[in-house]
């Protein structure tokens, strides 16, 4: 298995969505095509895309372009011990594409190549990232109500968008009312600067039985996060902004988290997610992959990976992104509100439209 072509695409969705998206197309010497996606960070997309192109050039030089060989001989050499999320995101894109190729060549879904499949129905929660800047609380509550009616029984909100704290509490209360007590309500405060403010918020939100409390402070502030965790009886989630087993090991050793949420295409790809999940399991900690990405490639990679992780609980999904990405491709497995059912389609089960992406090639 050698690669003969790598194409990188930078999709500017900023008119419709709050970010840009990076895809890559990898073609094997036998003509098999695999697709990957990189996590993007606002204002840093072009740099991440250039990382993908640089890694792609090195991938072309490999005689045996397997996911494992790529990881050992390209990414481990290229970062030279200075791992960053920008680099790791780019590395993830090509690694995922190679797994897509391997699955297609083997005639099997990717999950069947990763280990023992624990389940084929993967639960998803709806991320309620604001659809438009300045979204009102009324608009958020209405969106939550509609998604609950469509069958989503797990919803994540950002109540600190409605500061001060009493307004944020009102937001949580109103959303809990419209989704009901039987639905899971995730709360993300997106890394507050003040740890005391985060603790105060957690105590106020506890009355509404949140399923978790995400990123009370920035993920590198592990001592403060651990202190918050000791003070509240809500599961603490962290990990979306960090990469590398060394970071997750530190979080676990300091007892800073109940759930880790690395992003599937930021943390290095499928192999890194599996290793992180195994490490977390050794500390009796769960995994809930972050996926602030498209509703296509990254979502598919997350779903297949979760299928083989025993301590995976739920995956992230952005229902409001789906209509935009329908123009670029479709998932071949059944994606219903609140769950994804993996079928028998070989590879990741993503059908991309090359012609729709042509104008975004870089």
């Amino acid at each position: 298995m050698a690669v003969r072509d790598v194409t990188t695409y930078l999709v500017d969705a900023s008119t419709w969505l709050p970010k840009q998206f990076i895809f890559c197309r990898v073609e094997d010497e036998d003509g098999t095509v695999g697709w990957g996606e990189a996590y993007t960070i606002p204002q840093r997309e072009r740099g991440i895309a250039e990382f993908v192109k640089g890694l792609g050039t090195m991938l072309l030089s490999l005689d045996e372009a397997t996911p494992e060989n790529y990881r050992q001989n390209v990414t481990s050499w290229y970062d030279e011990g200075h791992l960053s999320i920008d680099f790791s995101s780019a590395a993830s894109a090509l690694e995922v594409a190679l797994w897509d190729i391997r699955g297609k060549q083997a005639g099997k879904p990717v999950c069947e190549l990763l280990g023992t499949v624990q389940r084929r129905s993967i639960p998803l929660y709806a991320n309620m990232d604001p659809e438009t800047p300045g979204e009102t609380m009324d608009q958020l509550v209405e969106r939550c109500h509609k998604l609950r009616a469509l069958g989503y029984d797990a919803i994540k909100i950002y109540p600190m968008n409605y500061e001060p704290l009493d307004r944020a509490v009102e937001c949580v209360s109103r959303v809990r009312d419209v989704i009901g007590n039987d639905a899971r309500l995730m709360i993300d405060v997106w890394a507050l600067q003040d740890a005391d403010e985060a603790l105060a918020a957690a105590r106020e939100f506890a009355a509404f039985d949140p399923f978790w409390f995400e990123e009370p402070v920035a993920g590198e502030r592990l001592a403060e996060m651990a202190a918050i965790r000791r003070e509240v009886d809500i599961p603490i989630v962290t990990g979306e902004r960090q990469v590398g087993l060394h970071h997750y090991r530190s979080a676990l050793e300091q007892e800073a988290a109940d759930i880790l949420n690395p992003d599937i295409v930021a943390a290095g790809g499928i192999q890194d997610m599996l290793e992180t999940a195994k490490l977390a399991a050794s500390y009796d900690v769960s995994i809930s992959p972050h996926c602030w990405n498209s509703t296509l490639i990254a979502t598919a990679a997350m779903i297949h990976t979760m299928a083989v992780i025993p301590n995976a609980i739920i995956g992230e999904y952005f229902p409001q992104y789906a209509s935009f990405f329908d123009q670029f491709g479709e998932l071949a497995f059944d994606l219903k509100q609140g769950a994804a059912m993996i079928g028998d389609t070989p590879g990741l089960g993503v059908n991309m439209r090359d012609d729709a992406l042509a104008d975004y090639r870089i």
Side-chain angles (χ1 to χ4, degrees):
M1 174 180 171
V3 167
R4 69 184 183 192
D5 184 65
V6 177
T7 307
T8 305
Y9 305 90
L10 178 58
V11 176
D12 185 354
S14 57
T15 302
W16 302 271
L17 302 176
K19 61 182 296 190
Q20 299 180 47
F21 298 82
I22 296 171
F23 301 123
C24 67
R25 179 187 185 276
V26 178
E27 186 173 346
D28 187 61
E29 60 186 353
D30 69 358
T32 305
V33 172
W35 288 91
E37 180 175 352
Y39 178 78
T40 58
I41 301 168
Q43 311 306 319
R44 289 153 63 175
E45 301 94 344
R46 175 66 64 168
I48 295 170
E50 290 299 323
F51 270 131
V52 174
K53 293 170 69 175
L55 288 166
T57 298
M58 295 187 69
L59 178 61
L60 290 167
S61 71
L62 294 182
D63 293 330
E64 192 66 24
T66 64
E68 298 85 358
N69 200 35
Y70 160 76
R71 190 182 187 215
Q72 180 178 352
N73 293 294
V74 176
T75 61
S76 64
W77 176 88
Y78 196 102
D79 72 44
E80 296 184 334
H82 301 287
L83 187 63
S84 72
I85 193 169
D86 302 68
F87 168 80
S88 184
S89 298
S92 302
L94 292 163
E95 194 258 13
V96 165
L98 292 174
W99 279 108
D100 191 23
I101 289 173
R102 176 178 282 183
K104 290 172 179 174
Q105 291 176 335
K108 295 181 178 181
V110 166
C111 62
E112 295 182 8
L113 307 177
L114 302 178
T116 301
V117 175
Q118 307 290 320
R119 55 189 171 180
R120 299 190 87 93
S121 180
I122 309 301
L124 304 173
Y125 69 84
N127 186 307
M128 303 304 295
D129 195 40
E131 282 192 313
T132 58
E135 180 179 60
T136 67
M137 192 184 302
D138 288 343
Q139 290 171 324
L140 169 66
V141 171
E142 179 61 23
R143 286 201 297 131
C144 290
H145 177 69
K146 288 179 179 178
L147 281 176
R148 187 70 182 97
L150 287 172
Y152 281 94
D153 65 355
I155 289 174
K156 184 166 84 175
I157 62 172
Y158 299 83
M160 299 307 287
N161 286 342
Y162 306 98
E163 293 183 290
L165 183 55
D166 60 346
R167 285 266 295 157
V169 172
E170 178 190 351
C171 173
V172 176
S173 175
R174 291 183 61 186
V175 170
R176 172 54 81 194
D177 284 345
V178 299
I179 68 173
N181 292 328
D182 57 336
R184 288 166 288 184
L185 176 58
M186 290 84 162
I187 293 176
D188 190 343
V189 295
W190 219 65
L192 296 175
Q193 291 295 318
D194 189 328
D196 290 336
E197 181 185 6
L199 179 57
R203 286 171 171 161
E204 291 288 340
F205 298 152
F208 305 99
D209 190 28
F211 188 72
W212 74 44
F213 188 60
E214 185 173 339
E215 291 286 88
V217 293
E220 63 272 13
R221 295 165 60 183
L222 292 174
E224 291 169 283
M225 193 170 299
I228 292 170
R229 181 173 179 257
R230 289 192 295 269
E231 294 294 325
V232 298
D233 191 25
I234 309 171
I236 299 297
V237 180
T238 188
E240 69 180 72
R241 305 184 190 193
Q242 286 75 39
V243 297
L245 281 179
H246 64 285
H247 170 79
Y248 298 117
R249 185 176 289 109
S250 293
L252 295 166
E253 289 174 349
Q254 295 185 51
E255 300 183 340
D258 299 278
I259 302 166
L260 294 179
N261 69 331
D263 192 290
I264 182 66
V265 293
I270 289 172
Q271 294 167 97
D272 284 80
M273 182 65 78
L274 294 175
E275 290 180 358
T276 302
K278 184 176 180 180
L279 175 65
S282 70
Y283 286 83
D284 198 26
V285 166
S286 299
I287 290 286
S288 178
H290 185 265
C291 196
W292 187 37
N293 306 299
S294 78
T295 52
L296 295 170
I297 303 161
T299 295
M302 176 190 71
I303 289 166
H304 279 280
T305 307
M306 286 185 66
V308 302
I309 297 177
N311 54 324
I313 53 175
I314 195 165
E316 184 170 39
Y317 186 68
F318 288 76
Q320 64 271 37
Y321 289 11
S323 60
F324 175 81
F325 287 108
D326 284 347
Q327 65 187 301
F328 299 114
E330 60 185 2
L331 298 177
F333 47 77
D334 188 15
L335 180 65
K336 293 182 178 179
Q337 287 79 3
M341 179 63 71
I342 303 173
D344 298 322
T345 302
L348 291 175
V350 180
N351 299 316
M352 299 296 290
R353 301 187 180 95
D354 299 55
D355 57 340
L357 284 166
D359 290 342
Y360 298 99
R361 180 173 178 169
I362 61 171

